[in-house]
Amino acid sequence: MPRVTFQLTLPPGTPPGTLFLTGDHRAWSSDPHGWTFSGSTLHAELPDGTLAQVKIRRVNPDGTTTEEGDAWGGRARAHRIKVHGDTTVPLTVAGWQDARGGTGRPQRCGPPREETVLDAPWGAQPLRLWWPAGHEGPLPLLILHDGQNVFDEAATFAGDSWDAAGAAQALADAGHPVRIAALPVNDDRSHRYVPFPFELNGNDSGADEYADWIRSTLLPHLHARFGPVHAQDTALAGSSFGGLITAYAGLRDPGTYGTLGVFSPAVWPGDFAFLRWLAGRGDPRARVWVDMGDHEGSSVQGAQEVITLARDLTAQLAPHVREARFTVGEGHWHDEPAWRERLPEFLRWWRQP
C-alpha cells in the first residue's frame, strides 16, 4: 500500500495542542488516534487511487477541539489529496476557526438582494432572493436548495459559494435576466432532502412535506409578489442531496417545473431506493440537466462508478422527458467550487436552449 507523507505548515501564533488529520476518508472523525502529527509530519498508508478531502484539527489543553480555518477565523476549504504511489502532500493551514467566524473576510461573491422568512410546517423558512437591477416584474424563476451556500461566502458551510448572483448577472448582461429564490437548510438537510428512510434522517423522510411546501406555498408566494411565472420558465436545482430532492420533486409533480438542475446527485440512500422509484417516471415537458465531477468518490475507481451511475440515470430519463443532458466536470470534486464552475453553463442551457 502506498506511503503518504503529510507535511504541515502552520500559521504564526498557533496555540499549543495535539494536531491531527481528519477527512472524508475517516468520516470526519475527531478522534486523533492513529492520525496525529509528529512535529510537522504524519506518515500514513492509503490505498492507491484514494481521493480524499482532509482538514487539520487541534486538541487543545482543555480537551476541546478546534478545526483549521481561514485567516479571518472562518471555515476553510478542505485540502484535496489523490494517492498515486508513494505521495507527499503539503498542507498549509491559513488560520484557526474562532469567534470572529470569518468577519472581515473580503467578499468575493455577491449577496442576495433581499432576505425574508416564510412559514413552513417545520418552522420559519429563510428565503434569499436575487434579481438583476431594473427587472422588478415577473422573471424566469430558479429555485435553489442549500440556499446558505449559493450567494456570499459568509453564510456557507465551508467558506465557498456557488456565486449564483455573479453567474445570473452575466446571464442578464447577455439578455436573459432571471430571479433566484434560494432556500437555506439547517441540520434537517437529510430529513428534508432525502425522500426515503435511511440512517441519516432517522428513517423518517420529510421530503414530501418539503416538496409540497415549495409547490403550494413558495411558488404562490413568489407569483403573488412578483407576478406569475409559467412552469416552463420555472427551474428547480440543487447538488448532492439537493440534486436528489430536485429530481424527486420534479418527477413526482410533472408539470410543476420546466427545468431540473440535478448537480452531483447523491442517489445512494436506502440502497439506491431512488433508482427503483424512478422506473417509468418522467415529465414530457421538462428538460433535465444531470452532471457529475470526475473526482467525486473515495477513489479513482469509485469516481468513475458514480459517473457511470449518473450517465445511466440520464439515459433512463431520456425517453420520458423533453430533453436530458449529461455533463462531466473535469477535475471537479464534490464541493461548492465545482458547482460554482458548472452553474453558468447550466444557466445558459436553461435560458438559451
Side-chain angles (χ1 to χ4, degrees), residues 208 211-212 215 247-257 260 277 281-283 285:
D208 284 304
D212 288 343
R215 185 187 59 189
Y248 179 80
L251 298 172
R252 190 198 74 156
D253 299 319
T256 303
Y257 310 100
L260 303 176
W277 175 89
R281 296 182 185 269
D283 183 346
R285 291 164 290 184

Side-chain angles (χ1 to χ4, degrees), residues 6-77:
F6 297 94
Q7 293 285 358
L8 186 58
T9 300
L10 298 173
T14 292
T18 300
L19 300 169
F20 68 98
L21 187 78
T22 190
D24 54 11
H25 67 297
R26 52 188 306 248
W28 297 101
S29 172
S30 285
D31 180 1
H33 181 72
W35 293 92
T36 300
F37 283 84
S38 175
S40 61
T41 303
L42 167 65
H43 297 292
E45 291 186 347
L46 291 171
D48 202 31
T50 292
L51 299 173
Q53 300 195 61
V54 302
K55 286 189 176 183
I56 307 301
R57 289 181 181 162
R58 186 185 75 237
V59 180
N60 303 307
D62 64 359
T64 60
T65 300
T66 301
E67 186 174 279
E68 68 170 294
D70 61 23
W72 299 274
R75 295 186 65 90
R77 180 188 301 181

Side-chain angles (χ1 to χ4, degrees), residues 88-248:
T88 297
V89 180
L91 300 174
T92 299
V93 174
W96 298 96
Q97 292 184 42
D98 58 31
R100 293 174 296 164
T103 302
R105 177 172 51 200
Q107 192 174 81
R108 296 174 294 177
C109 299
R113 288 191 60 183
E114 182 181 306
E115 300 190 62
T116 188
V117 174
L118 300 181
D119 290 332
W122 49 88
Q125 172 60 56
L127 173 62
R128 312 182 82 205
L129 296 166
W130 184 93
W131 63 93
H135 297 272
E136 305 304 320
L139 289 172
L141 174 64
L142 171 63
I143 301 169
L144 287 175
H145 308 294
D146 282 309
Q148 73 283 355
N149 290 336
V150 302
F151 291 117
D152 50 315
E153 295 96 335
T156 62
F157 176 74
D160 281 300
S161 89
W162 289 41
D163 190 19
Q169 185 62 59
L171 190 71
D173 292 344
H176 300 277
V178 301
R179 178 170 285 107
I180 298 174
L183 299 168
V185 71
N186 53 24
D187 293 339
D188 290 333
R189 185 173 188 269
S190 297
H191 173 70
R192 206 170 300 169
Y193 288 1
V194 179
F196 309 99
F198 79 127
E199 181 180 358
L200 293 183
N201 64 18
N203 293 308
D204 178 25
S205 171
D208 284 304
E209 180 182 62
Y210 178 63
D212 288 343
W213 179 85
I214 293 175
R215 185 187 59 189
S216 63
T217 299
L218 177 65
L219 284 172
H221 169 82
L222 294 172
H223 293 171
R225 167 78 189 280
F226 299 106
V229 178
H230 194 274
Q232 288 303 305
D233 290 321
T234 302
L236 186 68
S239 62
S240 192
F241 284 167
L244 174 60
I245 188 60
T246 294
Y248 179 80

